[in-house]
Amino acid sequence: QRAWRAVQEAKKRKPVTLGQLWKEYLDERGVDPESVNVKKAQTRWEKIISYIGDHVINENTVDLIQHGLDRYVEEATVTPASIRRTMREPLAAFRFASRRYRYNWIIVPPVVGRHQPKQKQVLTVEDQRELVRVCARDNDWVSAALLLMLQGGMMPSEIARLTPDNLLHDQHGDFYVTVTGETKTAARKRVIPVVIGAELIEGKLLEAARRIGAVKVPSATVNKRLKERIGDQYTVHCLRHTLKNNTIGIDSAVAAAIGGWKVAGANQVMMAY
């Protein structure tokens, strides 16, 4: 009788809608809802649920989920890799619910085509030299951000999270920037030796962090400067690609330590440049 009551209580606690299921999944993971990664997961869930619909859970739910996923894949205009990335967390939430509440859902992920990596856009050597020259001339927080991106593969969102504790000098007086706190992947936590424009970066970087962190699109201002000064074909992502391109021929572990890449499969990544 006690077991029967426990089952009945569990039934009462079951999520009524898919939206409630998602919230329970996040609660189970114990994640910070304000973190960058969880906000990305929330956006991906909302994308998928826009195709499925936030239905009341019943005997037809698994068919609705399957149909919605199929429709998303058919209509998506992004790369296969993006499609898989978008579906990953929602699928995990559905599997979690099926296990916990014995829904016996069998969801077959739709077939997604193979991803053909695009040729990565990198700055030419002359454009890199010109970037260093114009940054030295402009001598402002945007310049500091651009030079650090070129040398350390940093993204604007990473710069926005920098604090005074991330700016360090070693016993020889050499200047370093550490990337700590929340990052896209664990490999992105790293120490960047600053070689070019150290004085400019040290003096203006915290202002860059403050200004970039205060806007809705962190890359907007630095993107605009890069396009105006160097070339309209470039974006700040090109600076990270350029760092990877510049490290071809050196120890992949050294390159990964500075740029924050996983060492495994480094040669495959290099082939995209």
Side-chain angles (χ1 to χ4, degrees):
Q1 190 175 13
R2 188 180 298 117
W4 181 87
R5 282 200 301 269
V7 170
Q8 298 309 306
E9 287 299 316
K11 285 182 177 179
K12 292 178 184 177
R13 293 194 300 270
K14 283 185 179 182
V16 176
T17 66
L18 291 177
Q20 292 172 344
L21 179 157
W22 172 251
K23 291 178 181 177
E24 186 168 325
Y25 167 72
L26 293 181
D27 289 342
E28 178 70 16
R29 288 183 56 197
V31 294
D32 177 7
E34 295 303 314
S35 70
V36 173
N37 289 334
V38 174
K39 286 181 177 179
K40 287 181 180 178
Q42 180 67 38
T43 299
R44 290 164 183 165
W45 166 263
E46 290 169 1
K47 168 64 73 174
I48 293 300
I49 210 67
S50 71
Y51 284 86
I52 298 171
D54 191 12
H55 298 285
V56 173
I57 296 171
N58 57 40
E59 66 276 7
N60 299 317
T61 299
V62 67
D63 294 329
L64 294 170
I65 291 172
Q66 194 74 68
H67 177 70
L69 291 172
D70 290 343
R71 194 160 65 88
Y72 165 65
V73 171
E74 289 173 4
E75 298 180 12
T77 57
V78 294
T79 65
S82 294
I83 293 173
R84 293 190 186 95
R85 193 160 47 243
T86 298
M87 291 194 298
R88 189 176 300 138
E89 202 84 47
L91 284 169
F94 297 141
R95 288 193 294 269
F96 156 80
S98 184
R99 288 193 305 270
R100 166 163 284 193
Y101 298 112
R102 303 294 190 269
Y103 288 141
N104 295 320
W105 289 345
I106 299 176
I107 301 171
V108 181
V111 175
V112 182
R114 295 182 62 184
H115 176 54
Q116 296 296 327
K118 294 181 180 179
Q119 185 77 11
K120 305 295 187 182
Q121 180 72 48
V122 301
L123 274 68
T124 66
V125 173
E126 184 51 45
D127 282 343
Q128 292 179 62
R129 290 172 177 158
E130 180 63 16
L131 178 61
V132 172
R133 284 194 289 266
V134 299
C135 285
R137 185 187 68 219
D138 293 340
N139 193 39
D140 59 1
W141 67 268
V142 182
S143 302
L146 287 168
L147 287 178
L148 189 57
M149 291 180 200
L150 179 63
Q151 295 176 80
M154 291 194 73
M155 297 308 297
S157 58
E158 292 177 325
I159 291 177
R161 290 191 286 271
L162 294 176
T163 71
D165 291 339
N166 296 114
L167 280 58
L168 303 174
H169 288 274
D170 65 12
Q171 65 269 31
H172 305 293
D174 293 325
F175 179 49
Y176 297 83
V177 174
T178 63
V179 182
T180 57
E182 185 177 358
T183 52
K184 185 176 181 180
T185 65
R188 288 285 186 95
K189 299 181 191 301
R190 60 202 190 275
V191 178
I192 301 169
V194 179
V195 179
I196 299 172
E199 185 175 346
L200 167 59
I201 292 173
E202 185 173 10
K204 303 288 186 178
L205 190 56
L206 293 180
E207 181 185 356
R210 185 173 66 256
R211 287 178 176 267
I212 291 174
V215 296
K216 188 173 183 179
V217 182
S219 61
T221 301
V222 283
N223 253 335
K224 182 179 179 182
R225 177 73 61 85
L226 183 62
K227 289 177 177 294
E228 288 176 349
R229 299 289 199 275
I230 308 302
D232 193 57
Q233 72 273 30
Y234 296 132
T235 67
V236 291
H237 280 277
C238 297
L239 297 175
R240 183 165 174 80
H241 300 325
T242 299
L243 173 65
K244 175 60 74 67
N245 189 61
N246 288 344
T247 61
I248 292 176
I250 73 168
D251 188 328
S252 60
V254 174
I258 296 173
W261 293 286
K262 292 183 180 179
V263 178
N267 289 338
Q268 293 177 353
V269 174
M270 292 294 189
M271 293 301 293
Y273 293 84

